[in-house]
Amino acid sequence: MSDTRQVFRQRIEALREEIRHHNHRYHVLDDPEIPDAEYDRLMRELRALESDYPELVTADSPTQRVGDAPVSAFGTVEHRLPMLSLGNVFSEEELRDFHRRVVERLELAEAGEHLAYAAEPKLDGAAVSLTYVDGSLVRGATRGDGTTGEDITHNVRTIEAVPLKLLGRGHPATLEVRGEVFMPKDRFEAYNEHAKAAGEKIFKNPRNAAAGSLRQLDPKLTAARPLDIYVYSVGFVEGGELPAQHSEVLDRLQEWGLKTCPERAAVEGIEGCLDYHDRIGRRRDSLPYEIDGVVYKVNDLEMQRSLGFVSWAPRWAVAHKFPAQEELTTVRGIEFQVGRTGAVTPVARLEPVFVGGVTVSNATLHNIDELHRKDVRVGDTVIVRRAGDVIPEVVAVVEKRRLKGAKPVRLPKTCPVCGSPVVREEGEAVARCTGGLHCAAQRAESLKHFVSRKAMDIEGLGAELIEQLVASGQIETPADVYALDREQVAALERMGEKSTENLMKAIEASKETTLQRFLYALGVRLVGEATASALASHFGNLDGIAAASEEALVEVPDVGPVVAAAIRHFFAEKHNVEVVRTLQERGVHWPTFEPATAKEEPGALTGKTFVLTGTLSAMTRDEAKSRIQELGGKVTGSVSKKTDFVVHGDRPGSKRAKAEKLGVETLNESDFLDLIGPE
Ligand code: IVH
């Protein structure tokens, strides 16, 4: 070998070592030491050298993960030791039986109480076997039927967390490890999101995603799937020694660069197992990967050997399953529920089924689009899922079991609670009841809004009191707030004399208000504070707004056709008009004024539109807004081309970025203060 070639050979080896080290830090330990750009630089250098000296390329070089061409079919692999399955237990009682049998067979008697188990999450992915010869990965295989699996070497090589070469030294000449390949939940979601957008096939769950990805003929496809692995045992070993305890074996594998589950733990006796099951069970939903139970293994390998096997499962290990999160049941009916904000949501009434640890008899279908997409019909057999505290949902229909004559479900035209029309605005997934103040389902929520600080500002009438008043039927509409008498108020829970007095005073005081506040308080959909203020200054009085056509409404700055339609809907509803009239009869009043168009003196900021973002130090955002409005300017919530200025305080967020993108002028706090001048 020439001298220069020798030098490059050494450089190549050094680069590989370094890259392997960083791969391990990044993909196995999740603790990178160098920035990605530096890693990329090392890889580029190695690639360049390998392309100059192709004869120096080896299969375990970090550049060779996706090296192979697609295969036309999978080869088969005979497992030197069978890949076993596990017995399952579903209850504490069954687990105690398992433990008793272990203790009896090992003749441990009293000492059984302290028997050491290795406990690990039971991962929901696909089992694989990886064989290393002299530290280099030579074979990856699926479990198959336990005796014969498929050769998926080309695919497991693409999983970054699988070392192509083991770290450190002292590996047995032949070392077969076994583990679970899985797709972490967040990567699964992101993958599906992406696939959906690209019109590609999506995976039902992370397990299918992992198993399906491993069975690709083209390793490039597998490489594009975000897979991960935890190894959980060793298979065939030759030419080397391993420690005597299962947990120590896994520690050793971890040292050699193989990834083991960070949740694994050594526990003592049955109580230790139960405690572990409980602990992991409570964290199940927050773990970054899917699990369907925990596995306990007698930790001592000598004991494992003496316990042996029954047919396909070891006597020394057991899976303690969590309740299934998906089950089949049938749909008894589909009803539409009206939420507190008027959203009309389809709900499936189900034949009760035990799933995710509870009996489920209702499942949300989210919205009408979702209902149609899943095409759920009455009588259908469906897969129901309940994970953790999440609301149970219908995952899919088992179409093969659909009854003849089952009809698609339609959105009702009228609200099932109050009979008002149900509308669905363009581009909106959610259908809504237009009943507003009149609809019993929306009462408490609209009342909370009505009394809130920026609306009628009735201090002391909090959410709890409102719930009580609504539940007892004492209040149906906001107008009833002004019909409450002292005795009624005093009779509410936790109301003393003083608080009754204060609340009565607050109610009385709130009668004197402004048109802007009153409009906002009515809770017309899409009419926030800014719109209410714009409407008030444009029309100057309520009758004008109530009678305005959509054409007249869109004249108002900040009011588009959708908002105009929502305002029209509101005032077209007899009940709403009735409530407004009663409120006025009961003493709610505000000054009317000449519409803004007739104003003589324009302010310094007339015609200018502002968006405020971030925290200001000299004043609150509300104060800034009032100042702008006093000077004739307008404040809106979102940045568009029509925005004149974006005022940003501390931690501005995305609005400033958007302004910069659209070329809208941005002002920091001191620019802004200069602009508005002294008060
Ligand atoms: S030990 C003889 N440990 O569960 C021991 N298996 O039902 C056999 N699995 O096919 C496996 N997580 O794919 C073991 N921590 C874990 C596991 C685990 C998931 C899977 C494995 C196996 C199946 C057995």
Side-chain angles (χ1 to χ4, degrees):
M1 196 181 283
S2 74
D3 276 357
T4 40
R5 194 158 166 258
Q6 180 64 14
V7 169
F8 284 124
R9 213 181 80 108
Q10 280 168 1
R11 178 64 189 147
I12 285 175
E13 258 321 306
L15 278 168
R16 286 178 187 161
E17 281 300 309
E18 197 176 349
I19 291 169
R20 279 181 195 123
H21 169 79
H22 292 303
N23 266 342
H24 179 246
R25 298 288 312 191
Y26 188 96
H27 294 288
V28 179
L29 304 181
D30 202 7
D31 183 20
E33 281 174 350
I34 55 168
D36 291 1
E38 176 62 10
Y39 177 85
D40 293 344
R41 200 191 59 73
L42 295 172
M43 273 299 260
R44 267 200 308 277
E45 187 184 345
L46 178 60
R47 281 217 172 84
L49 286 171
E50 286 184 350
S51 103
D52 288 347
Y53 296 94
E55 67 282 14
L56 296 180
V57 176
T58 56
D60 61 12
S61 168
T63 59
Q64 301 303 299
R65 286 202 176 267
V66 202
D68 300 339
V71 298
S72 55
F74 295 105
T76 56
V77 174
E78 294 282 321
H79 298 301
R80 311 265 297 255
L81 292 174
M83 282 182 83
L84 303 171
S85 61
L86 284 170
N88 289 324
V89 297
F90 292 90
S91 65
E92 176 175 338
E93 202 189 339
E94 288 175 344
L95 179 67
R96 287 186 186 277
D97 288 343
F98 164 81
H99 176 67
R100 196 175 310 119
R101 287 194 299 273
V102 169
V103 172
E104 277 168 16
R105 282 194 173 261
L106 293 173
E107 297 176 359
L108 291 176
E110 302 289 284
E113 212 183 306
H114 302 290
L115 178 63
Y117 286 102
E120 298 154 17
K122 184 167 189 297
L123 304 152
D124 211 2
V128 295
S129 142
L130 304 174
T131 304
Y132 288 86
V133 171
D134 296 330
S136 291
L137 177 70
V138 296
R139 177 86 54 246
T142 63
R143 175 168 180 269
D145 63 4
T147 314
T148 312
E150 281 174 328
D151 185 339
I152 50 161
T153 312
H154 60 300
N155 288 338
V156 293
R157 290 175 62 89
T158 69
I159 303 171
E160 311 262 11
V162 170
L164 298 180
K165 193 168 169 27
L166 296 178
L167 303 181
R169 41 196 85 253
H171 340 110
T174 302
L175 172 68
E176 185 208 347
V177 297
R178 289 165 180 187
E180 198 85 351
V181 167
F182 59 94
M183 195 179 280
K185 289 180 198 165
D186 58 343
R187 299 200 218 161
F188 165 78
E189 302 283 343
Y191 181 87
N192 264 356
E193 197 87 348
H194 187 81
K196 212 194 251 170
E200 288 163 15
K201 192 179 146 247
I202 63 165
F203 290 117
K204 263 207 211 90
N205 54 47
R207 191 203 19 223
N208 289 355
S213 303
L214 283 180
R215 296 199 73 262
Q216 292 293 329
L217 293 169
D218 183 353
K220 285 206 178 57
L221 292 176
T222 312
R225 308 281 170 84
L227 299 177
D228 205 340
I229 188 172
Y230 287 141
V231 298
Y232 52 63
S233 69
V234 293
F236 181 77
V237 180
E238 199 174 52
E241 287 291 311
L242 288 173
Q245 305 287 317
H246 174 79
S247 52
E248 293 167 357
V249 172
L250 295 190
D251 292 343
R252 187 66 57 85
L253 298 182
Q254 175 87 23
E255 282 163 29
W256 288 335
L258 290 155
K259 198 167 175 177
T260 65
C261 181
E263 304 304 329
R264 66 192 171 90
V267 301
E268 202 183 282
I270 188 80
E271 299 309 324
C273 292
L274 287 170
D275 179 56
Y276 183 80
H277 183 261
D278 191 50
R279 247 184 313 136
I280 296 289
R282 265 186 273 143
R283 290 181 45 217
R284 180 181 189 184
D285 295 309
S286 58
L287 289 175
Y289 41 82
E290 294 265 5
I291 62 173
D292 58 357
V294 296
V295 182
Y296 315 115
K297 300 167 185 170
V298 170
N299 203 20
D300 187 275
L301 298 178
E302 193 44 52
M303 286 184 183
Q304 287 190 3
R305 271 186 282 277
S306 85
L307 284 162
F309 306 90
V310 264
S311 76
W312 279 105
R315 286 206 188 87
W316 43 264
V318 76
H320 190 177
K321 300 293 268 296
F322 295 133
Q325 292 184 319
E326 288 188 359
E327 287 291 352
L328 284 186
T329 188
T330 53
V331 178
R332 282 177 169 177
I334 293 174
E335 287 173 15
F336 287 84
Q337 270 181 355
V338 188
R340 289 145 72 96
T341 58
V344 176
T345 313
V347 179
R349 305 284 176 217
L350 305 169
E351 196 55 46
V353 60
F354 190 73
V355 57
V358 296
T359 301
V360 167
S361 39
N362 302 305
T364 178
L365 290 158
H366 300 291
N367 57 54
I368 191 77
D369 282 344
E370 186 84 354
L371 168 67
H372 287 156
R373 198 172 58 72
K374 290 179 178 162
D375 191 18
V376 184
R377 304 182 188 188
V378 177
D380 276 353
T381 299
V382 290
I383 301 169
V384 176
R385 179 176 173 84
R386 182 190 179 270
D389 295 332
V390 182
I391 304 167
E393 63 164 358
V394 171
V395 179
V397 171
V398 183
E399 295 227 7
K400 270 188 254 155
R401 298 207 196 165
R402 172 160 290 161
L403 305 175
K404 266 209 192 103
K407 292 204 178 55
V409 178
R410 296 228 197 101
L411 179 69
K413 291 200 168 56
T414 57
C415 171
V417 176
C418 72
S420 306
V422 167
V423 297
R424 192 174 158 204
E425 275 141 23
E426 234 180 87
E428 280 257 327
V430 178
R432 285 177 200 278
C433 160
T434 53
L437 304 178
H438 168 66
C439 182
Q442 298 170 62
R443 236 165 244 167
E445 213 51 25
S446 47
L447 278 162
K448 284 179 207 165
H449 172 77
F450 183 77
V451 304
S452 64
R453 199 169 51 78
K454 291 176 176 172
M456 299 305 283
D457 191 18
I458 307 184
E459 214 190 311
L461 191 48
E464 268 177 43
L465 287 187
I466 288 181
E467 298 284 356
Q468 278 186 57
L469 287 163
V470 169
S472 59
Q474 297 182 81
I475 287 194
E476 287 190 357
T477 79
D480 297 339
V481 170
Y482 296 98
L484 285 174
D485 60 32
R486 187 175 297 270
E487 285 76 68
Q488 268 175 299
V489 171
L492 293 169
E493 275 168 40
R494 271 188 291 226
M495 284 305 273
E497 201 167 308
K498 188 77 193 143
S499 42
T500 303
E501 177 71 26
N502 289 344
L503 180 52
M504 292 310 289
K505 272 195 193 144
I507 292 175
E508 193 53 37
S510 74
K511 287 182 183 171
E512 188 173 333
T513 186
T514 63
L515 176 55
Q516 173 195 335
R517 276 179 178 274
F518 183 73
L519 259 180
Y520 173 66
L522 291 178
V524 183
R525 231 176 80 65
L526 305 175
V527 177
E529 264 183 290
T531 311
S533 152
L535 285 164
S537 42
H538 185 86
F539 287 95
N541 62 71
L542 186 67
D543 292 345
I545 300 171
S549 63
E550 289 186 26
E551 292 77 44
L553 287 165
V554 294
E555 299 270 294
V556 180
D558 206 24
V559 174
V562 179
V563 179
I567 298 168
R568 285 300 314 133
H569 275 308
F570 184 88
F571 287 106
E573 203 50 61
K574 254 198 354 255
H575 316 284
N576 291 339
V577 176
E578 179 68 25
V579 169
V580 169
R581 195 178 51 78
T582 315
L583 279 164
Q584 288 176 287
E585 278 172 12
R586 292 186 177 159
V588 176
H589 63 280
W590 54 85
T592 55
F593 48 87
E594 285 301 303
T597 42
K599 257 194 190 159
E600 279 148 30
E601 281 176 71
L605 301 181
T606 300
K608 299 290 180 213
T609 303
F610 289 74
V611 171
L612 304 172
T613 177
T615 319
L616 300 172
S617 59
M619 57 178 84
T620 65
R621 269 206 257 168
D622 279 344
E623 285 162 355
K625 186 168 164 183
S626 305
R627 280 290 287 144
I628 294 170
Q629 286 167 344
E630 277 165 30
L631 295 168
K634 217 177 66 170
V635 179
T636 64
S638 57
V639 183
S640 75
K641 280 196 208 124
K642 290 191 195 148
T643 311
D644 295 290
F645 301 104
V646 169
V647 179
H648 56 88
D650 211 20
R651 282 181 281 122
S654 65
K655 288 181 187 170
R656 189 172 88 187
K658 185 155 181 209
E660 277 163 8
K661 212 169 111 200
L662 295 176
V664 172
E665 186 167 346
T666 58
L667 303 175
N668 64 24
E669 184 165 353
S670 87
D671 299 337
F672 174 62
L673 294 175
D674 287 346
L675 182 71
I676 59 174
E679 252 184 276

